[in-house]
Amino acid sequence: MNSFRPARSGSAPTTGPAPVGGPASTTGPSRRSVLRAAAVGLAAPALAGCVTSGGDDGQPAAAKGETSADNPLGVPASTPLEVVVFDGGYGDEYATNAESIYKGRFPGATVDHKAIQKVGEALQPRFVADTPPDVVDNTGAGRLDLATLVAAGKLTDLTELLDAPSLDDPGTKVRDTLLPGVVADGTLDGKVYTLNFTYTVWGLWYSKPLFDRHGWAYPTNWDAMLALCDQIKKAGVAPWTYQGKYPEYLNDPLLAMAAKAGGPELVQAVDNLQPGAWKQQPLLDAATAIAELAGRGYLLPGSEALSHTEAQAAWSQGKVAFIPCGSWLEAEQQGVTPAGFDMVMGAVPSLGAADKLPYGTIQAASSESFLVPARAKNPRGGLEFLRVLFSSGSARRFAELNSTLPSVAGATDGLTVSTGLGSVRAAVQAAGPNTVTYRFRTWYAPLAKAVDDATGELATRRITPGQWADRIQKAADAVAADSAVKKYTR
Amino acid sequence: MAALRHGKYRFLAGAILPGLLLYAVFVLSPYAQAFYLALTDWTGVSGQVEIVGLDNFRRLVDDPLFLAALRNNGLLLLVVPAATIGLGLLLAALVNFGGRRGSTMVGGVRGGEFYKVAYFFPQLLSLPIIAVLWQFVYHPNEGVLNGVLRAVGLDFLARTWLGDPHLALWAVAGVLVWSSVGFYMVLFSAAMESIPRDVLEAAVLDGAGRLAVLRRVVLPLVRENVQVAFVYLGVLALDGFAVVQVMTVGPGGPDGSTEVIGLGLYRNAFTYGRFGYAAAMGVALFFLTLALAVVALRAGRREQVELS
């Protein structure tokens, strides 16, 4: 039903398709099994240990072929390659396209292609048993937690790939073909473990023709936004809605405004769990701005209970003017959006004149995390697959197939694109180096949940901006004080 | 004779052992492993674990979401079994004794068989599908529930059912009751059908009204079924995972108001990569379920009513 929702890099996968096969989704143990297990359970430690008995003995020497100018990573020419991709909104045609290029380069190798949805559930046992595939697209609601994988030493450092010459131009390293922030997005503890294939930008979406018809101009600061909302409301259209069932969507405009007002230092303080970081004035101001939308009745009534599909459908039907979302929205709304709707994305308005970053600053992050497991049978092949995938031809094909910006710079240059993708591309160009990304969502998933919950309450005015900051700060302090949580800094 | 008996046991063992073996591998062993994992910091992907003793259980006590889950599961436990059994008994009684045939004959309402099938229908749907359907029903703007309320002029009763922390849990409880009441109606109905007609007719001839027959004759005779139903429904109320995960805001929200233990367990294991902690939640849930089963079966033990 809602398989389309490319999880952003770093968003806690609390949403998405229902985990029908989840371990607790059955109605629980029956009375008899409970009683019987109780009798035997405690006395059966002999059975225990099975799940954690994966071998940690010496790493098997992975096959490596001759290194040459045409084969800089030393891929063994005839070793099979196993690719596992997430079969979500982007489908898997882009991956099979890259695989056929790979096979063209290594005709002796067979490629085992698997497109699945529950990446985590399918691969967790294979990671434990140290028999993982060679390259994995760790994406979707059921993906494996990256920080956990890294802490367990299950991933290959991708530095070698980044420093290898790109497929298109031997004079340019792979590293230098990527959009800003892509390498940093895949970095944990100073090492690069994932390479994200899509480039996601967050902003506010609206229908260009709808705005033109009413003579509404896209606001570049919050005062103008409130004034416009008043106009929109008078025209009988709800000014805003959000994907209330998943309040994290509303975090995007909130945190983006705060980042613009407070600058990179604010983002850094938040990510580094500094004491009082969430009580910084720009965050409070941004929270106040969002709460004001609700306070002035600018939110579509009932938004707080709408799923992303429901809220976005209401918006596509022209009942609502603005919706916050990432750049996957256009592809996601294909089929439910009437012709001539011509959606475009605008950068989140500035909070005020004193903002440290300019209006065009965008919150951007790469997603669709490709990784190469450390114990893969053919890790060189896995790296080479990524070199092929991140080549401009393969990236361009992806953009054509999915109306989505790949994380390879210039991949869509000269391509005729839809209104949405065109506006996203323009926003990336206008932002230049001014992109911000919060990392706390990837690093501390429980904190992300606390922020989402608080924002949901803020948007329904059940808590004040001050209470919003207080409870998130408390959650951040708890994470900071928890010695069991591995800490990261930027 | 002895040889015969020996052969019988061998046959029985041959029939039972394969089942027991499967049960040990796929039921008992995971249970045992969960107990062990609850004492570790296993992340779910690593082969290496460290024993952390009772640390995970100490964390449970301080985890606000786990405490919210305990509260919510507790409320569901109070409401769902009682409401389901009450409605199930009422419907079963109506189907079996609601009508009157002749002057003293006791019979069901007209079309009783049809109602049995109709009410049983939700049992045929899997819980996630039910949850998806009810999410549409509860839709604040286009849902059937608010639509009906508005159509009959009760606009002031229309709510964002799943978006209001005071209502969301009851919306979930309603779905749980709706989805199980049909099954228990059929169960109780079968039990009531097995009550000999002459007993009922004798009560009616003695001048007992329908309510008196129900309370004094029928209920004592289906008591065992009710007791078993309570245990099953209690387990259902202690779970609630599927409905909450699919239907609610967050899920588990708004703001933890529909958090249940199973959801926290799932989130900690599969989102946070804290399988050890999740296993501790599982162990806690296990003992809660066990305690419920023991209490329900003990408390309900009373002298059996013998019919013969």
Side-chain angles (χ1 to χ4, degrees):
Chain A
M1 172 197 63
N2 49 3
S3 66
F4 199 131
R5 199 172 156 259
R8 78 193 68 172
S9 135
S11 82
T14 51
T15 61
V20 176
S25 66
T26 50
T27 44
S30 75
R31 171 177 58 122
R32 215 182 278 170
S33 71
V34 165
L35 295 172
R36 226 184 281 165
V40 196
L42 290 166
L47 291 167
C50 306
V51 286
T52 57
S53 58
D56 275 285
D57 29 283
Q59 171 131 19
K64 184 167 181 183
E66 212 55 27
T67 316
S68 68
D70 192 44
N71 185 6
L73 294 164
V75 180
S78 54
T79 308
L81 179 75
E82 186 186 356
V83 182
V84 175
V85 297
F86 172 60
D87 189 10
Y90 300 134
D92 65 340
E93 198 186 328
Y94 74 93
T96 47
N97 176 56
E99 284 157 16
S100 61
I101 303 176
Y102 182 94
K103 268 188 277 194
R105 292 174 50 73
F106 303 98
T110 51
V111 177
D112 177 6
H113 169 87
K114 291 193 182 77
I116 58 175
Q117 293 194 338
K118 302 255 163 184
V119 178
E121 277 169 32
L123 295 187
Q124 190 210 353
R126 295 186 60 185
F127 271 101
V128 172
D130 280 333
T131 55
D134 300 314
V135 59
V136 179
D137 171 12
N138 185 36
T139 303
R143 70 183 179 278
L144 288 160
D145 183 47
L146 186 64
T148 310
L149 283 174
V150 170
K154 296 289 180 185
L155 303 185
T156 303
D157 180 359
L158 301 179
T159 308
E160 194 182 350
L161 165 68
L162 291 173
D163 290 330
S166 70
L167 200 61
D168 304 295
D169 171 16
T172 314
K173 288 179 184 176
V174 171
R175 179 190 297 281
D176 299 323
T177 64
L178 304 171
L179 282 172
V182 175
V183 172
D185 283 344
T187 306
L188 262 183
D189 268 352
K191 283 187 183 164
V192 186
Y193 290 105
T194 65
L195 217 44
N196 295 343
F197 189 51
T198 65
Y199 199 67
T200 306
V201 178
W202 281 270
L204 299 179
W205 291 80
Y206 59 100
S207 160
K208 190 87 175 47
L210 177 75
F211 273 50
D212 288 347
R213 229 176 11 253
H214 287 93
W216 297 332
Y218 186 81
T220 57
N221 64 61
W222 196 252
D223 286 338
M225 170 60 86
L226 293 178
L228 177 63
C229 283
D230 191 46
Q231 252 182 295
I232 295 173
K233 200 178 175 189
K234 280 185 185 138
V237 177
W240 273 62
T241 189
Y242 69 106
Q243 300 81 340
K245 205 174 159 186
Y246 311 109
E248 66 201 67
Y249 282 88
L250 199 55
N251 281 332
D252 297 322
L254 196 165
L255 293 177
M257 278 197 285
K260 286 183 191 196
E265 303 78 31
L266 177 136
V267 179
Q268 204 178 1
V270 163
D271 285 344
N272 290 347
L273 302 175
Q274 277 176 18
W278 287 89
K279 297 189 176 182
Q280 297 174 83
Q281 197 56 42
L283 274 163
L284 280 168
D285 291 343
T288 308
I290 293 297
E292 220 170 348
L293 287 178
R296 297 190 182 203
Y298 292 159
L299 290 176
L300 175 76
S303 290
E304 70 269 25
L306 299 184
S307 70
H308 60 290
T309 39
E310 290 164 348
Q312 288 161 195
W315 172 77
S316 278
Q317 289 158 10
K319 293 177 186 163
V320 191
F322 289 113
I323 191 164
C325 197
S327 46
W328 62 79
L329 183 68
E330 185 177 38
E332 189 172 16
Q333 292 304 94
Q334 262 171 18
V336 289
T337 307
F341 188 77
D342 289 351
M343 64 176 81
V344 289
M345 191 200 79
V348 172
S350 302
L351 203 48
D355 277 12
K356 289 192 179 155
L357 293 170
Y359 155 71
T361 303
I362 47 173
Q363 200 172 187
S366 46
S367 47
E368 294 282 314
S369 306
F370 281 82
L371 52 86
V372 177
R375 298 294 180 91
K377 285 203 192 71
N378 185 9
R380 324 286 326 163
L383 293 173
E384 175 70 11
F385 173 79
L386 293 184
R387 200 168 74 101
V388 168
L389 182 69
F390 282 78
S391 68
S392 67
S394 148
R396 198 182 174 84
R397 182 82 192 112
F398 173 82
E400 281 169 354
L401 287 168
N402 292 303
S403 295
T404 299
L405 213 57
S407 58
V408 179
T412 59
D413 285 358
L415 210 61
T416 312
V417 294
S418 52
T419 52
L421 180 57
S423 67
V424 170
R425 186 169 67 185
V428 170
Q429 272 159 7
N434 289 324
T435 64
V436 291
T437 314
Y438 289 86
R439 304 242 175 260
F440 71 89
R441 297 198 77 91
T442 329
W443 291 350
Y444 313 112
L447 177 59
K449 162 124 179 89
V451 177
D452 296 346
D453 285 350
T455 302
E457 295 301 284
L458 178 76
T460 47
R461 297 173 74 209
R462 289 192 285 261
I463 59 173
T464 65
Q467 288 167 324
W468 176 85
D470 283 346
R471 46 184 279 181
I472 298 177
Q473 187 59 51
K474 211 172 136 202
D477 291 343
V479 172
D482 189 345
S483 59
V485 177
K486 187 170 161 47
K487 305 296 187 313
Y488 303 92
T489 51
R490 63 186 296 185
Chain B
M1 187 68 192
L4 193 67
R5 201 172 251 184
H6 186 69
K8 188 173 100 182
Y9 285 139
R10 204 153 47 186
F11 170 75
L12 283 179
I16 292 170
L17 275 180
L20 271 184
L21 190 72
L22 286 175
Y23 187 78
V25 170
F26 292 110
V27 180
L28 296 187
S29 142
Y31 268 111
Q33 291 186 41
F35 277 89
Y36 158 68
L37 286 176
L39 305 175
T40 70
D41 65 351
W42 192 43
T43 58
V45 293
S46 164
Q48 275 177 323
V49 293
E50 250 176 72
I51 304 285
V52 295
L54 294 176
D55 216 35
N56 287 327
F57 292 95
R58 267 192 290 275
R59 278 167 180 273
L60 278 183
V61 187
D62 293 327
D63 184 340
L65 273 178
F66 183 73
L67 297 179
L70 277 185
R71 187 194 70 117
N72 295 336
N73 277 125
L75 287 173
L76 289 178
L77 188 58
L78 284 179
V79 171
V80 171
T84 309
I85 290 172
L87 276 173
L89 281 172
L90 179 72
L91 293 173
L94 285 175
V95 164
N96 285 288
F97 315 113
R100 219 168 254 269
R101 300 212 184 116
S103 54
T104 57
M105 295 282 284
V106 195
V109 292
R110 218 178 299 256
E113 286 307 310
F114 168 78
Y115 288 123
K116 268 188 222 173
V117 174
Y119 284 118
F120 191 75
F121 186 66
Q123 194 65 27
L124 304 178
L125 300 172
S126 81
L127 264 183
I129 293 175
I130 289 174
V132 169
L133 293 178
W134 275 88
Q135 195 193 320
F136 296 146
V137 172
Y138 286 136
H139 189 295
N141 304 330
E142 286 144 32
V144 174
L145 184 54
N146 278 351
V148 167
L149 287 173
R150 288 183 180 125
V152 298
L154 294 172
D155 296 54
F156 63 97
L157 283 179
R159 294 279 185 282
T160 43
W161 301 100
L162 294 170
D164 186 330
H166 301 295
L167 295 173
L169 188 66
W170 306 118
V172 171
V175 174
L176 290 176
V177 170
W178 179 85
S179 66
S180 37
V181 79
F183 175 81
Y184 290 96
M185 183 197 90
V186 171
L187 182 81
F188 296 146
S189 199
M192 288 177 187
E193 270 165 23
S194 70
I195 298 172
R197 298 283 114 173
D198 48 356
V199 173
L200 299 170
E201 283 169 22
V204 174
L205 285 176
D206 286 345
R210 257 187 284 186
L211 264 183
V213 172
L214 188 64
R215 261 185 53 215
R216 303 282 164 90
V217 182
V218 174
L219 284 188
L221 290 173
V222 298
R223 179 182 185 81
E224 261 197 0
N225 295 71
V226 170
Q227 195 181 338
V228 170
F230 186 82
V231 175
Y232 283 145
L233 285 164
V235 172
L236 179 81
L238 284 179
D239 175 27
F241 170 81
V243 171
V244 167
Q245 163 84 10
V246 174
M247 202 174 78
T248 63
V249 172
D255 200 22
S257 60
T258 54
E259 179 84 7
V260 288
I261 299 172
L263 184 68
L265 190 157
Y266 181 85
R267 186 189 302 118
N268 272 285
F270 295 100
T271 308
Y272 299 169
R274 294 179 180 166
F275 273 74
Y277 186 53
M281 289 183 167
V283 169
L285 181 58
F286 169 85
F287 281 111
L288 282 177
T289 313
L290 190 66
L292 172 83
V294 169
V295 167
L297 293 177
R298 285 288 138 88
R301 185 169 292 175
R302 222 167 64 172
E303 269 183 45
Q304 300 295 324
V305 183
E306 296 288 341
L307 269 177
S308 49

